Amino acid sequence: TTGFRPPCKSAKEVYKALRAGLMKSLERLQTDYVDVLYCPHGATDPSQFANKALEDALQKLKEEKLVKHVGASSHTNYRRVGEAAVEKSWCEVFMPVANICTQNAANAGALQQRRKGRGRALENTVPMLATAKKKKVGLVAMKVANPGYLSAKTDALLAEQFPKDSKLSRHQKLYTYMLGQEGVSAVVVGIRSVLHLKEMLAVG
């Protein structure tokens, strides 16, 4: 991933800046290419996908075989950003906030916590996932079990999806739910303990 923000200059300068940052990353990773380059990573507005210079630069990196696939990610305004991203022919992978609450936004209530000054909110991701599938864009869900993106009604939503005698932990239910959503290709796994690792291996 990269936090690259393209300079508002010529297409040549955008390509040069993006390639320079990528080459440094490849050196640190000790590899010749990356499977997926998310750029922009952390997009905040649909207008960021109207940058033709960036689109051309990403295509050149693919032609040079430094990048296999290109995409984008978003933590803020992720519904609107996602809808713009998956409509772009060059966007092969999109990584948004997506969890049981964003998939049931009308019944999820408010977030348990709102990060000050970040503008993050509970947004409906159902249409975005449907469009991603239609456009054959890989959808990688993140913040699937992150407390800051779940609501006070999360457990009630989980109870509707899993039988009472389910042996899955809350953590496993959250990931299992998203892995089962139409249009989701993969999920970003948050592991904060050995227990989380064991749970994810069991789900896998």
Side-chain angles (χ1 to χ4, degrees):
T1 61
T2 176
F4 178 75
R5 293 292 181 271
C8 298
K9 298 181 181 180
S10 69
K12 184 177 180 179
E13 288 172 304
V14 171
Y15 166 72
K16 183 178 179 180
L18 180 56
R19 192 180 192 282
L22 175 61
M23 294 307 293
K24 289 180 180 179
S25 294
L26 293 178
E27 183 179 354
R28 289 193 296 269
L29 291 167
Q30 299 180 43
T31 186
D32 298 324
Y33 68 91
V34 291
D35 288 314
V36 180
L37 178 65
Y38 294 99
C39 188
H41 173 48
T44 59
D45 191 90
S47 63
Q48 290 173 266
F49 295 92
N51 190 328
K52 186 63 167 57
L54 176 60
E55 180 181 341
D56 291 344
L58 292 169
Q59 181 59 38
K60 284 185 179 180
L61 294 177
K62 287 183 66 178
E63 292 171 356
E64 293 178 53
K65 301 189 185 304
L66 296 173
V67 174
K68 278 194 171 183
H69 304 282
V70 296
S73 71
S74 177
H75 301 77
T76 306
N77 298 324
Y78 47 89
R79 178 187 61 79
R80 290 175 55 239
V81 169
E83 290 170 353
V86 298
E87 289 290 344
K88 291 293 183 180
S89 60
W90 60 264
C91 186
E92 300 170 283
V93 184
F94 185 63
M95 183 168 65
V97 173
N99 54 48
I100 193 169
C101 291
T102 67
Q103 287 294 100
N104 297 274
N107 301 315
L111 291 173
Q112 289 182 342
Q113 62 185 44
R114 173 75 68 84
R115 298 185 182 185
K116 295 181 179 179
R118 299 301 292 271
R120 296 173 181 175
L122 185 61
E123 301 174 9
N124 180 10
T125 52
V126 173
M128 182 212 309
L129 265 64
T131 303
K133 181 182 179 182
K134 181 180 178 181
K135 297 288 185 177
K136 296 183 179 180
V137 174
L139 200 296
V140 180
M142 65 172 166
K143 310 301 180 186
V144 175
N146 188 303
Y149 291 86
L150 299 174
S151 78
K153 295 186 178 180
T154 298
D155 289 323
L157 292 173
L158 288 172
E160 294 175 5
Q161 300 294 326
F162 295 90
K164 291 182 179 180
D165 60 351
S166 172
K167 301 299 182 183
L168 297 176
S169 69
R170 184 176 191 265
H171 195 238
Q172 289 175 314
K173 288 176 182 178
L174 289 167
Y175 284 101
T176 299
Y177 174 83
M178 278 313 297
L179 284 169
Q181 293 299 291
E182 191 172 22
V184 173
S185 304
V187 297
V188 177
V189 178
I191 298 175
R192 298 184 179 183
S193 68
V194 174
L195 174 60
H196 282 175
L197 174 59
K198 290 181 178 179
E199 288 181 336
M200 290 303 95
L201 289 172
V203 168

